[in-house]
Amino acid sequence: MEHFWGSRSIEKNKALVEELQRNGIIRSKRVAEVMEAIDRGIFVTAGAPAYLDSPMSIGYNATISAPHMHATCLELLKEHLQHGMRALDVGSGTGYLTACFAMMVGPQGRVVGIEHIPELVSSSIENIKRSAAASSIKDGFLTVHVADGRLGWPELAPYDAIHVGAAAPQIPQSLIDQLKPGGRLVIPVGTLNQDLKVVDKNLDGSISVRTETSVRYVPLTSRDAQLRNN
Ligand code: SAH
């Protein structure tokens, strides 16, 4: 039974990846491979329609991003998620992208997830342990911490790739500071109208910012404000 359900979910996950490839959202083999390897079904509540291209509630006024947003961010960050590189996932939620990052940087790399809801940190660790990225936790190159992600995670800075999964009113300076020269930050910015910003730190330390697309994310805020917002 378990095996039957398991193999069907892998097929549905593959069909979702193929749909994103047909739509031109997944453009590279590497992103297709990692999204095929990390089964989205593991990261959503049992019974939820995991393989629809839509965001889904995960409790605590948070959502797992839609697959096309996960794919877009992986495509934008892929050059900064090479083997051995260092990645920070702020607002790591279910741990889906955190797990994808671990697959991409591999055991010589380092991945840090930051999430301010302790229950989501615990469940994300369980999710990742059931996924194809399980060894990243066992081998200790992926860790998830309960913290305010607006401050980043200076202990392991600088990072080649920083992803923020919640919309900030403006780009937090601490995240820019924790970016390696040559590194890239992908972050939704704005309140009602939000833009997905791509922030590159050039080798001379200067910053280039461009807008990729309009988006709608939950806010990057304090835990109290998030939980009050019912
Ligand atoms: N990439 C995640 C997105 C989850 S939604 C996924 O697809 O599963 C955004 C997450 O950001 C929520 O889990 C929310 O709790 C978290 N968040 C919001 N503000 C935060 C902050 N200041 N520090 C850390 N996490 C934050």
Side-chain angles (χ1 to χ4, degrees), residues 58 62-65 70 91-95 114-117 120 147-150 163 165-166 218-221 226:
I58 54 171
T63 56
I64 180 170
S65 299
H70 284 152
S92 47
T94 60
I114 304 289
E115 166 57 55
H116 66 175
I117 305 288
L120 288 178
D148 185 344
R150 291 173 292 190
H163 168 263
V218 303
L220 184 73
T221 184
Q226 182 174 324

mmCIF file with all atom_site columns, all heavy atoms in Angstrom, residues 58 62-65 70 91-95 114-117 120 147-150 163 165-166 218-221 226, ligand 1:
data_model
loop_
_atom_site.group_PDB
_atom_site.id
_atom_site.type_symbol
_atom_site.label_atom_id
_atom_site.label_alt_id
_atom_site.label_comp_id
_atom_site.label_asym_id
_atom_site.label_entity_id
_atom_site.label_seq_id
_atom_site.pdbx_PDB_ins_code
_atom_site.Cartn_x
_atom_site.Cartn_y
_atom_site.Cartn_z
_atom_site.occupancy
_atom_site.B_iso_or_equiv
_atom_site.pdbx_formal_charge
_atom_site.auth_seq_id
_atom_site.auth_comp_id
_atom_site.auth_asym_id
_atom_site.auth_atom_id
_atom_site.pdbx_PDB_model_num
ATOM   1   N N   . ILE A 1 58  ? 0.143  26.263 5.200  1.00 0.00 ? 58  ILE A N   1
ATOM   2   C CA  . ILE A 1 58  ? 0.875  25.303 6.047  1.00 0.00 ? 58  ILE A CA  1
ATOM   3   C C   . ILE A 1 58  ? 0.656  25.649 7.526  1.00 0.00 ? 58  ILE A C   1
ATOM   4   O O   . ILE A 1 58  ? 1.409  25.233 8.397  1.00 0.00 ? 58  ILE A O   1
ATOM   5   C CB  . ILE A 1 58  ? 2.392  25.271 5.699  1.00 0.00 ? 58  ILE A CB  1
ATOM   6   C CG1 . ILE A 1 58  ? 3.027  26.680 5.761  1.00 0.00 ? 58  ILE A CG1 1
ATOM   7   C CG2 . ILE A 1 58  ? 2.607  24.651 4.322  1.00 0.00 ? 58  ILE A CG2 1
ATOM   8   C CD1 . ILE A 1 58  ? 4.557  26.671 5.653  1.00 0.00 ? 58  ILE A CD1 1
ATOM   9   N N   . ALA A 1 62  ? 1.138  31.005 7.207  1.00 0.00 ? 62  ALA A N   1
ATOM   10  C CA  . ALA A 1 62  ? 2.216  30.805 6.230  1.00 0.00 ? 62  ALA A CA  1
ATOM   11  C C   . ALA A 1 62  ? 1.729  29.893 5.108  1.00 0.00 ? 62  ALA A C   1
ATOM   12  O O   . ALA A 1 62  ? 0.703  29.215 5.249  1.00 0.00 ? 62  ALA A O   1
ATOM   13  C CB  . ALA A 1 62  ? 3.426  30.185 6.921  1.00 0.00 ? 62  ALA A CB  1
ATOM   14  N N   . THR A 1 63  ? 2.430  29.911 4.000  1.00 0.00 ? 63  THR A N   1
ATOM   15  C CA  . THR A 1 63  ? 2.083  29.039 2.871  1.00 0.00 ? 63  THR A CA  1
ATOM   16  C C   . THR A 1 63  ? 3.356  28.409 2.308  1.00 0.00 ? 63  THR A C   1
ATOM   17  O O   . THR A 1 63  ? 4.440  28.985 2.416  1.00 0.00 ? 63  THR A O   1
ATOM   18  C CB  . THR A 1 63  ? 1.424  29.827 1.706  1.00 0.00 ? 63  THR A CB  1
ATOM   19  O OG1 . THR A 1 63  ? 2.307  30.872 1.307  1.00 0.00 ? 63  THR A OG1 1
ATOM   20  C CG2 . THR A 1 63  ? 0.088  30.421 2.097  1.00 0.00 ? 63  THR A CG2 1
ATOM   21  N N   . ILE A 1 64  ? 3.199  27.239 1.711  1.00 0.00 ? 64  ILE A N   1
ATOM   22  C CA  . ILE A 1 64  ? 4.282  26.712 0.875  1.00 0.00 ? 64  ILE A CA  1
ATOM   23  C C   . ILE A 1 64  ? 4.101  27.406 -0.475 1.00 0.00 ? 64  ILE A C   1
ATOM   24  O O   . ILE A 1 64  ? 2.985  27.506 -0.990 1.00 0.00 ? 64  ILE A O   1
ATOM   25  C CB  . ILE A 1 64  ? 4.246  25.169 0.746  1.00 0.00 ? 64  ILE A CB  1
ATOM   26  C CG1 . ILE A 1 64  ? 5.403  24.666 -0.145 1.00 0.00 ? 64  ILE A CG1 1
ATOM   27  C CG2 . ILE A 1 64  ? 2.909  24.644 0.246  1.00 0.00 ? 64  ILE A CG2 1
ATOM   28  C CD1 . ILE A 1 64  ? 5.596  23.137 -0.142 1.00 0.00 ? 64  ILE A CD1 1
ATOM   29  N N   . SER A 1 65  ? 5.185  27.942 -1.014 1.00 0.00 ? 65  SER A N   1
ATOM   30  C CA  . SER A 1 65  ? 5.087  28.665 -2.285 1.00 0.00 ? 65  SER A CA  1
ATOM   31  C C   . SER A 1 65  ? 4.625  27.726 -3.394 1.00 0.00 ? 65  SER A C   1
ATOM   32  O O   . SER A 1 65  ? 4.809  26.509 -3.320 1.00 0.00 ? 65  SER A O   1
ATOM   33  C CB  . SER A 1 65  ? 6.452  29.244 -2.664 1.00 0.00 ? 65  SER A CB  1
ATOM   34  O OG  . SER A 1 65  ? 6.878  30.150 -1.680 1.00 0.00 ? 65  SER A OG  1
ATOM   35  N N   . HIS A 1 70  ? 8.928  28.191 -6.721 1.00 0.00 ? 70  HIS A N   1
ATOM   36  C CA  . HIS A 1 70  ? 10.118 27.413 -6.341 1.00 0.00 ? 70  HIS A CA  1
ATOM   37  C C   . HIS A 1 70  ? 11.037 27.248 -7.557 1.00 0.00 ? 70  HIS A C   1
ATOM   38  O O   . HIS A 1 70  ? 12.249 27.448 -7.466 1.00 0.00 ? 70  HIS A O   1
ATOM   39  C CB  . HIS A 1 70  ? 9.706  26.030 -5.806 1.00 0.00 ? 70  HIS A CB  1
ATOM   40  C CG  . HIS A 1 70  ? 9.162  26.056 -4.404 1.00 0.00 ? 70  HIS A CG  1
ATOM   41  N ND1 . HIS A 1 70  ? 8.263  25.129 -3.944 1.00 0.00 ? 70  HIS A ND1 1
ATOM   42  C CD2 . HIS A 1 70  ? 9.403  26.892 -3.371 1.00 0.00 ? 70  HIS A CD2 1
ATOM   43  C CE1 . HIS A 1 70  ? 7.975  25.396 -2.667 1.00 0.00 ? 70  HIS A CE1 1
ATOM   44  N NE2 . HIS A 1 70  ? 8.648  26.456 -2.306 1.00 0.00 ? 70  HIS A NE2 1
ATOM   45  N N   . GLY A 1 91  ? 13.019 32.164 5.947  1.00 0.00 ? 91  GLY A N   1
ATOM   46  C CA  . GLY A 1 91  ? 11.583 31.854 5.895  1.00 0.00 ? 91  GLY A CA  1
ATOM   47  C C   . GLY A 1 91  ? 11.435 30.498 5.235  1.00 0.00 ? 91  GLY A C   1
ATOM   48  O O   . GLY A 1 91  ? 10.710 30.321 4.267  1.00 0.00 ? 91  GLY A O   1
ATOM   49  N N   . SER A 1 92  ? 12.167 29.518 5.790  1.00 0.00 ? 92  SER A N   1
ATOM   50  C CA  . SER A 1 92  ? 12.306 28.213 5.110  1.00 0.00 ? 92  SER A CA  1
ATOM   51  C C   . SER A 1 92  ? 11.035 27.378 5.170  1.00 0.00 ? 92  SER A C   1
ATOM   52  O O   . SER A 1 92  ? 10.908 26.406 4.424  1.00 0.00 ? 92  SER A O   1
ATOM   53  C CB  . SER A 1 92  ? 13.514 27.452 5.655  1.00 0.00 ? 92  SER A CB  1
ATOM   54  O OG  . SER A 1 92  ? 13.543 27.457 7.056  1.00 0.00 ? 92  SER A OG  1
ATOM   55  N N   . GLY A 1 93  ? 10.082 27.730 6.035  1.00 0.00 ? 93  GLY A N   1
ATOM   56  C CA  . GLY A 1 93  ? 8.746  27.115 6.006  1.00 0.00 ? 93  GLY A CA  1
ATOM   57  C C   . GLY A 1 93  ? 8.778  25.600 6.054  1.00 0.00 ? 93  GLY A C   1
ATOM   58  O O   . GLY A 1 93  ? 9.269  25.000 7.014  1.00 0.00 ? 93  GLY A O   1
ATOM   59  N N   . THR A 1 94  ? 8.286  24.984 4.993  1.00 0.00 ? 94  THR A N   1
ATOM   60  C CA  . THR A 1 94  ? 8.215  23.517 4.934  1.00 0.00 ? 94  THR A CA  1
ATOM   61  C C   . THR A 1 94  ? 9.580  22.864 4.751  1.00 0.00 ? 94  THR A C   1
ATOM   62  O O   . THR A 1 94  ? 9.704  21.649 4.909  1.00 0.00 ? 94  THR A O   1
ATOM   63  C CB  . THR A 1 94  ? 7.383  23.077 3.714  1.00 0.00 ? 94  THR A CB  1
ATOM   64  O OG1 . THR A 1 94  ? 8.032  23.583 2.524  1.00 0.00 ? 94  THR A OG1 1
ATOM   65  C CG2 . THR A 1 94  ? 5.956  23.601 3.782  1.00 0.00 ? 94  THR A CG2 1
ATOM   66  N N   . GLY A 1 95  ? 10.573 23.643 4.315  1.00 0.00 ? 95  GLY A N   1
ATOM   67  C CA  . GLY A 1 95  ? 11.897 23.071 4.046  1.00 0.00 ? 95  GLY A CA  1
ATOM   68  C C   . GLY A 1 95  ? 12.072 22.596 2.610  1.00 0.00 ? 95  GLY A C   1
ATOM   69  O O   . GLY A 1 95  ? 13.126 22.056 2.256  1.00 0.00 ? 95  GLY A O   1
ATOM   70  N N   . ILE A 1 114 ? 16.377 29.358 7.928  1.00 0.00 ? 114 ILE A N   1
ATOM   71  C CA  . ILE A 1 114 ? 15.971 30.159 9.097  1.00 0.00 ? 114 ILE A CA  1
ATOM   72  C C   . ILE A 1 114 ? 14.460 30.321 9.022  1.00 0.00 ? 114 ILE A C   1
ATOM   73  O O   . ILE A 1 114 ? 13.924 30.727 7.983  1.00 0.00 ? 114 ILE A O   1
ATOM   74  C CB  . ILE A 1 114 ? 16.604 31.578 9.078  1.00 0.00 ? 114 ILE A CB  1
ATOM   75  C CG1 . ILE A 1 114 ? 18.119 31.506 8.992  1.00 0.00 ? 114 ILE A CG1 1
ATOM   76  C CG2 . ILE A 1 114 ? 16.158 32.378 10.302 1.00 0.00 ? 114 ILE A CG2 1
ATOM   77  C CD1 . ILE A 1 114 ? 18.794 31.023 10.226 1.00 0.00 ? 114 ILE A CD1 1
ATOM   78  N N   . GLU A 1 115 ? 13.799 30.013 10.141 1.00 0.00 ? 115 GLU A N   1
ATOM   79  C CA  . GLU A 1 115 ? 12.335 30.097 10.177 1.00 0.00 ? 115 GLU A CA  1
ATOM   80  C C   . GLU A 1 115 ? 11.971 30.494 11.607 1.00 0.00 ? 115 GLU A C   1
ATOM   81  O O   . GLU A 1 115 ? 12.537 29.936 12.547 1.00 0.00 ? 115 GLU A O   1
ATOM   82  C CB  . GLU A 1 115 ? 11.768 28.724 9.777  1.00 0.00 ? 115 GLU A CB  1
ATOM   83  C CG  . GLU A 1 115 ? 10.313 28.487 10.060 1.00 0.00 ? 115 GLU A CG  1
ATOM   84  C CD  . GLU A 1 115 ? 9.390  29.518 9.415  1.00 0.00 ? 115 GLU A CD  1
ATOM   85  O OE1 . GLU A 1 115 ? 9.446  29.714 8.187  1.00 0.00 ? 115 GLU A OE1 1
ATOM   86  O OE2 . GLU A 1 115 ? 8.605  30.133 10.177 1.00 0.00 ? 115 GLU A OE2 1
ATOM   87  N N   . HIS A 1 116 ? 11.027 31.438 11.773 1.00 0.00 ? 116 HIS A N   1
ATOM   88  C CA  . HIS A 1 116 ? 10.756 31.910 13.135 1.00 0.00 ? 116 HIS A CA  1
ATOM   89  C C   . HIS A 1 116 ? 9.623  31.179 13.846 1.00 0.00 ? 116 HIS A C   1
ATOM   90  O O   . HIS A 1 116 ? 9.369  31.474 15.012 1.00 0.00 ? 116 HIS A O   1
ATOM   91  C CB  . HIS A 1 116 ? 10.590 33.436 13.163 1.00 0.00 ? 116 HIS A CB  1
ATOM   92  C CG  . HIS A 1 116 ? 9.395  33.954 12.429 1.00 0.00 ? 116 HIS A CG  1
ATOM   93  N ND1 . HIS A 1 116 ? 9.049  35.290 12.457 1.00 0.00 ? 116 HIS A ND1 1
ATOM   94  C CD2 . HIS A 1 116 ? 8.470  33.337 11.650 1.00 0.00 ? 116 HIS A CD2 1
ATOM   95  C CE1 . HIS A 1 116 ? 7.955  35.460 11.729 1.00 0.00 ? 116 HIS A CE1 1
ATOM   96  N NE2 . HIS A 1 116 ? 7.598  34.301 11.231 1.00 0.00 ? 116 HIS A NE2 1
ATOM   97  N N   . ILE A 1 117 ? 8.947  30.240 13.163 1.00 0.00 ? 117 ILE A N   1
ATOM   98  C CA  . ILE A 1 117 ? 7.913  29.440 13.840 1.00 0.00 ? 117 ILE A CA  1
ATOM   99  C C   . ILE A 1 117 ? 8.541  28.085 14.229 1.00 0.00 ? 117 ILE A C   1
ATOM   100 O O   . ILE A 1 117 ? 8.859  27.267 13.353 1.00 0.00 ? 117 ILE A O   1
ATOM   101 C CB  . ILE A 1 117 ? 6.690  29.200 12.911 1.00 0.00 ? 117 ILE A CB  1
ATOM   102 C CG1 . ILE A 1 117 ? 6.116  30.532 12.367 1.00 0.00 ? 117 ILE A CG1 1
ATOM   103 C CG2 . ILE A 1 117 ? 5.615  28.374 13.612 1.00 0.00 ? 117 ILE A CG2 1
ATOM   104 C CD1 . ILE A 1 117 ? 5.381  31.400 13.361 1.00 0.00 ? 117 ILE A CD1 1
ATOM   105 N N   . LEU A 1 120 ? 7.254  24.884 12.668 1.00 0.00 ? 120 LEU A N   1
ATOM   106 C CA  . LEU A 1 120 ? 7.593  24.676 11.246 1.00 0.00 ? 120 LEU A CA  1
ATOM   107 C C   . LEU A 1 120 ? 9.040  24.201 11.109 1.00 0.00 ? 120 LEU A C   1
ATOM   108 O O   . LEU A 1 120 ? 9.348  23.390 10.238 1.00 0.00 ? 120 LEU A O   1
ATOM   109 C CB  . LEU A 1 120 ? 7.359  25.955 10.429 1.00 0.00 ? 120 LEU A CB  1
ATOM   110 C CG  . LEU A 1 120 ? 5.895  26.343 10.190 1.00 0.00 ? 120 LEU A CG  1
ATOM   111 C CD1 . LEU A 1 120 ? 5.803  27.654 9.409  1.00 0.00 ? 120 LEU A CD1 1
ATOM   112 C CD2 . LEU A 1 120 ? 5.136  25.235 9.438  1.00 0.00 ? 120 LEU A CD2 1
ATOM   113 N N   . ALA A 1 147 ? 14.884 31.447 14.261 1.00 0.00 ? 147 ALA A N   1
ATOM   114 C CA  . ALA A 1 147 ? 15.490 32.772 14.425 1.00 0.00 ? 147 ALA A CA  1
ATOM   115 C C   . ALA A 1 147 ? 14.742 33.769 13.558 1.00 0.00 ? 147 ALA A C   1
ATOM   116 O O   . ALA A 1 147 ? 13.915 33.381 12.721 1.00 0.00 ? 147 ALA A O   1
ATOM   117 C CB  . ALA A 1 147 ? 16.963 32.730 14.024 1.00 0.00 ? 147 ALA A CB  1
ATOM   118 N N   . ASP A 1 148 ? 15.043 35.046 13.776 1.00 0.00 ? 148 ASP A N   1
ATOM   119 C CA  . ASP A 1 148 ? 14.489 36.105 12.932 1.00 0.00 ? 148 ASP A CA  1
ATOM   120 C C   . ASP A 1 148 ? 15.359 36.225 11.688 1.00 0.00 ? 148 ASP A C   1
ATOM   121 O O   . ASP A 1 148 ? 16.499 36.699 11.765 1.00 0.00 ? 148 ASP A O   1
ATOM   122 C CB  . ASP A 1 148 ? 14.455 37.422 13.710 1.00 0.00 ? 148 ASP A CB  1
ATOM   123 C CG  . ASP A 1 148 ? 13.760 38.525 12.915 1.00 0.00 ? 148 ASP A CG  1
ATOM   124 O OD1 . ASP A 1 148 ? 13.584 38.375 11.679 1.00 0.00 ? 148 ASP A OD1 1
ATOM   125 O OD2 . ASP A 1 148 ? 13.397 39.538 13.526 1.00 0.00 ? 148 ASP A OD2 1
ATOM   126 N N   . GLY A 1 149 ? 14.799 35.809 10.573 1.00 0.00 ? 149 GLY A N   1
ATOM   127 C CA  . GLY A 1 149 ? 15.559 35.762 9.323  1.00 0.00 ? 149 GLY A CA  1
ATOM   128 C C   . GLY A 1 149 ? 15.949 37.129 8.773  1.00 0.00 ? 149 GLY A C   1
ATOM   129 O O   . GLY A 1 149 ? 16.814 37.212 7.904  1.00 0.00 ? 149 GLY A O   1
ATOM   130 N N   . ARG A 1 150 ? 15.326 38.197 9.290  1.00 0.00 ? 150 ARG A N   1
ATOM   131 C CA  . ARG A 1 150 ? 15.703 39.534 8.816  1.00 0.00 ? 150 ARG A CA  1
ATOM   132 C C   . ARG A 1 150 ? 17.149 39.840 9.172  1.00 0.00 ? 150 ARG A C   1
ATOM   133 O O   . ARG A 1 150 ? 17.768 40.722 8.577  1.00 0.00 ? 150 ARG A O   1
ATOM   134 C CB  . ARG A 1 150 ? 14.772 40.595 9.432  1.00 0.00 ? 150 ARG A CB  1
ATOM   135 C CG  . ARG A 1 150 ? 13.348 40.473 8.880  1.00 0.00 ? 150 ARG A CG  1
ATOM   136 C CD  . ARG A 1 150 ? 12.376 41.377 9.594  1.00 0.00 ? 150 ARG A CD  1
ATOM   137 N NE  . ARG A 1 150 ? 12.161 40.936 10.983 1.00 0.00 ? 150 ARG A NE  1
ATOM   138 C CZ  . ARG A 1 150 ? 11.218 41.421 11.777 1.00 0.00 ? 150 ARG A CZ  1
ATOM   139 N NH1 . ARG A 1 150 ? 10.402 42.357 11.331 1.00 0.00 ? 150 ARG A NH1 1
ATOM   140 N NH2 . ARG A 1 150 ? 11.078 40.973 13.015 1.00 0.00 ? 150 ARG A NH2 1
ATOM   141 N N   . HIS A 1 163 ? 18.116 33.104 -0.380 1.00 0.00 ? 163 HIS A N   1
ATOM   142 C CA  . HIS A 1 163 ? 16.725 33.136 -0.838 1.00 0.00 ? 163 HIS A CA  1
ATOM   143 C C   . HIS A 1 163 ? 15.863 33.576 0.330  1.00 0.00 ? 163 HIS A C   1
ATOM   144 O O   . HIS A 1 163 ? 16.062 33.119 1.456  1.00 0.00 ? 163 HIS A O   1
ATOM   145 C CB  . HIS A 1 163 ? 16.287 31.739 -1.311 1.00 0.00 ? 163 HIS A CB  1
ATOM   146 C CG  . HIS A 1 163 ? 14.807 31.634 -1.516 1.00 0.00 ? 163 HIS A CG  1
ATOM   147 N ND1 . HIS A 1 163 ? 13.945 31.120 -0.565 1.00 0.00 ? 163 HIS A ND1 1
ATOM   148 C CD2 . HIS A 1 163 ? 14.029 32.009 -2.561 1.00 0.00 ? 163 HIS A CD2 1
ATOM   149 C CE1 . HIS A 1 163 ? 12.711 31.174 -1.026 1.00 0.00 ? 163 HIS A CE1 1
ATOM   150 N NE2 . HIS A 1 163 ? 12.729 31.706 -2.234 1.00 0.00 ? 163 HIS A NE2 1
ATOM   151 N N   . GLY A 1 165 ? 11.853 33.718 1.414  1.00 0.00 ? 165 GLY A N   1
ATOM   152 C CA  . GLY A 1 165 ? 10.549 33.171 1.016  1.00 0.00 ? 165 GLY A CA  1
ATOM   153 C C   . GLY A 1 165 ? 9.377  33.969 1.550  1.00 0.00 ? 165 GLY A C   1
ATOM   154 O O   . GLY A 1 165 ? 8.250  33.479 1.571  1.00 0.00 ? 165 GLY A O   1
ATOM   155 N N   . ALA A 1 166 ? 9.627  35.202 2.001  1.00 0.00 ? 166 ALA A N   1
ATOM   156 C CA  . ALA A 1 166 ? 8.567  36.070 2.517  1.00 0.00 ? 166 ALA A CA  1
ATOM   157 C C   . ALA A 1 166 ? 8.916  37.493 2.097  1.00 0.00 ? 166 ALA A C   1
ATOM   158 O O   . ALA A 1 166 ? 10.093 37.839 1.955  1.00 0.00 ? 166 ALA A O   1
ATOM   159 C CB  . ALA A 1 166 ? 8.481  35.949 4.038  1.00 0.00 ? 166 ALA A CB  1
ATOM   160 N N   . VAL A 1 218 ? 3.702  35.922 1.666  1.00 0.00 ? 218 VAL A N   1
ATOM   161 C CA  . VAL A 1 218 ? 3.358  36.361 3.028  1.00 0.00 ? 218 VAL A CA  1
ATOM   162 C C   . VAL A 1 218 ? 4.476  37.301 3.500  1.00 0.00 ? 218 VAL A C   1
ATOM   163 O O   . VAL A 1 218 ? 5.596  37.238 2.994  1.00 0.00 ? 218 VAL A O   1
ATOM   164 C CB  . VAL A 1 218 ? 3.179  35.160 4.001  1.00 0.00 ? 218 VAL A CB  1
ATOM   165 C CG1 . VAL A 1 218 ? 2.116  34.196 3.509  1.00 0.00 ? 218 VAL A CG1 1
ATOM   166 C CG2 . VAL A 1 218 ? 4.493  34.424 4.229  1.00 0.00 ? 218 VAL A CG2 1
ATOM   167 N N   . PRO A 1 219 ? 4.172  38.209 4.456  1.00 0.00 ? 219 PRO A N   1
ATOM   168 C CA  . PRO A 1 219 ? 5.198  39.189 4.841  1.00 0.00 ? 219 PRO A CA  1
ATOM   169 C C   . PRO A 1 219 ? 6.355  38.601 5.659  1.00 0.00 ? 219 PRO A C   1
ATOM   170 O O   . PRO A 1 219 ? 6.158  37.676 6.453  1.00 0.00 ? 219 PRO A O   1
ATOM   171 C CB  . PRO A 1 219 ? 4.419  40.209 5.679  1.00 0.00 ? 219 PRO A CB  1
ATOM   172 C CG  . PRO A 1 219 ? 3.097  39.615 5.988  1.00 0.00 ? 219 PRO A CG  1
ATOM   173 C CD  . PRO A 1 219 ? 2.871  38.448 5.091  1.00 0.00 ? 219 PRO A CD  1
ATOM   174 N N   . LEU A 1 220 ? 7.531  39.179 5.455  1.00 0.00 ? 220 LEU A N   1
ATOM   175 C CA  . LEU A 1 220 ? 8.686  38.936 6.321  1.00 0.00 ? 220 LEU A CA  1
ATOM   176 C C   . LEU A 1 220 ? 8.524  39.913 7.474  1.00 0.00 ? 220 LEU A C   1
ATOM   177 O O   . LEU A 1 220 ? 8.687  41.122 7.303  1.00 0.00 ? 220 LEU A O   1
ATOM   178 C CB  . LEU A 1 220 ? 9.985  39.199 5.555  1.00 0.00 ? 220 LEU A CB  1
ATOM   179 C CG  . LEU A 1 220 ? 11.283 38.889 6.297  1.00 0.00 ? 220 LEU A CG  1
ATOM   180 C CD1 . LEU A 1 220 ? 11.496 37.377 6.412  1.00 0.00 ? 220 LEU A CD1 1
ATOM   181 C CD2 . LEU A 1 220 ? 12.484 39.519 5.597  1.00 0.00 ? 220 LEU A CD2 1
ATOM   182 N N   . THR A 1 221 ? 8.169  39.377 8.642  1.00 0.00 ? 221 THR A N   1
ATOM   183 C CA  . THR A 1 221 ? 7.758  40.254 9.733  1.00 0.00 ? 221 THR A CA  1
ATOM   184 C C   . THR A 1 221 ? 8.162  39.619 11.060 1.00 0.00 ? 221 THR A C   1
ATOM   185 O O   . THR A 1 221 ? 8.949  38.668 11.081 1.00 0.00 ? 221 THR A O   1
ATOM   186 C CB  . THR A 1 221 ? 6.221  40.474 9.629  1.00 0.00 ? 221 THR A CB  1
ATOM   187 O OG1 . THR A 1 221 ? 5.807  41.386 10.627 1.00 0.00 ? 221 THR A OG1 1
ATOM   188 C CG2 . THR A 1 221 ? 5.431  39.193 9.771  1.00 0.00 ? 221 THR A CG2 1
ATOM   189 N N   . GLN A 1 226 ? 2.898  38.117 12.639 1.00 0.00 ? 226 GLN A N   1
ATOM   190 C CA  . GLN A 1 226 ? 2.427  37.050 11.746 1.00 0.00 ? 226 GLN A CA  1
ATOM   191 C C   . GLN A 1 226 ? 1.293  36.264 12.378 1.00 0.00 ? 226 GLN A C   1
ATOM   192 O O   . GLN A 1 226 ? 0.278  35.993 11.748 1.00 0.00 ? 226 GLN A O   1
ATOM   193 C CB  . GLN A 1 226 ? 3.585  36.111 11.395 1.00 0.00 ? 226 GLN A CB  1
ATOM   194 C CG  . GLN A 1 226 ? 3.177  34.997 10.421 1.00 0.00 ? 226 GLN A CG  1
ATOM   195 C CD  . GLN A 1 226 ? 4.365  34.172 9.976  1.00 0.00 ? 226 GLN A CD  1
ATOM   196 O OE1 . GLN A 1 226 ? 5.463  34.708 9.788  1.00 0.00 ? 226 GLN A OE1 1
ATOM   197 N NE2 . GLN A 1 226 ? 4.172  32.888 9.818  1.00 0.00 ? 226 GLN A NE2 1
HETATM 198 N N1  . SAH B 2 .   ? 9.882  28.733 1.090  1.00 0.00 ? 1   SAH B N1  1
HETATM 199 C C1  . SAH B 2 .   ? 8.886  28.389 2.070  1.00 0.00 ? 1   SAH B C1  1
HETATM 200 C C2  . SAH B 2 .   ? 7.980  29.596 2.235  1.00 0.00 ? 1   SAH B C2  1
HETATM 201 C C3  . SAH B 2 .   ? 7.155  29.556 3.454  1.00 0.00 ? 1   SAH B C3  1
HETATM 202 S S1  . SAH B 2 .   ? 6.123  31.007 3.626  1.00 0.00 ? 1   SAH B S1  1
HETATM 203 C C4  . SAH B 2 .   ? 8.104  27.211 1.537  1.00 0.00 ? 1   SAH B C4  1
HETATM 204 O O1  . SAH B 2 .   ? 7.850  27.184 0.329  1.00 0.00 ? 1   SAH B O1  1
HETATM 205 O O2  . SAH B 2 .   ? 7.733  26.336 2.316  1.00 0.00 ? 1   SAH B O2  1
HETATM 206 C C5  . SAH B 2 .   ? 7.247  32.151 4.360  1.00 0.00 ? 1   SAH B C5  1
HETATM 207 C C6  . SAH B 2 .   ? 7.802  31.719 5.680  1.00 0.00 ? 1   SAH B C6  1
HETATM 208 O O3  . SAH B 2 .   ? 8.536  32.821 6.215  1.00 0.00 ? 1   SAH B O3  1
HETATM 209 C C7  . SAH B 2 .   ? 6.765  31.341 6.713  1.00 0.00 ? 1   SAH B C7  1
HETATM 210 O O4  . SAH B 2 .   ? 7.022  30.029 7.133  1.00 0.00 ? 1   SAH B O4  1
HETATM 211 C C8  . SAH B 2 .   ? 6.981  32.355 7.834  1.00 0.00 ? 1   SAH B C8  1
HETATM 212 O O5  . SAH B 2 .   ? 6.768  31.775 9.118  1.00 0.00 ? 1   SAH B O5  1
HETATM 213 C C9  . SAH B 2 .   ? 8.425  32.768 7.619  1.00 0.00 ? 1   SAH B C9  1
HETATM 214 N N2  . SAH B 2 .   ? 8.818  34.074 8.138  1.00 0.00 ? 1   SAH B N2  1
HETATM 215 C C10 . SAH B 2 .   ? 8.160  35.263 8.038  1.00 0.00 ? 1   SAH B C10 1
HETATM 216 N N3  . SAH B 2 .   ? 8.865  36.257 8.643  1.00 0.00 ? 1   SAH B N3  1
HETATM 217 C C11 . SAH B 2 .   ? 10.006 35.674 9.132  1.00 0.00 ? 1   SAH B C11 1
HETATM 218 C C12 . SAH B 2 .   ? 11.119 36.167 9.868  1.00 0.00 ? 1   SAH B C12 1
HETATM 219 N N4  . SAH B 2 .   ? 11.224 37.458 10.242 1.00 0.00 ? 1   SAH B N4  1
HETATM 220 N N5  . SAH B 2 .   ? 12.092 35.303 10.208 1.00 0.00 ? 1   SAH B N5  1
HETATM 221 C C13 . SAH B 2 .   ? 12.005 33.985 9.863  1.00 0.00 ? 1   SAH B C13 1
HETATM 222 N N6  . SAH B 2 .   ? 10.975 33.455 9.191  1.00 0.00 ? 1   SAH B N6  1
HETATM 223 C C14 . SAH B 2 .   ? 9.978  34.287 8.822  1.00 0.00 ? 1   SAH B C14 1
#
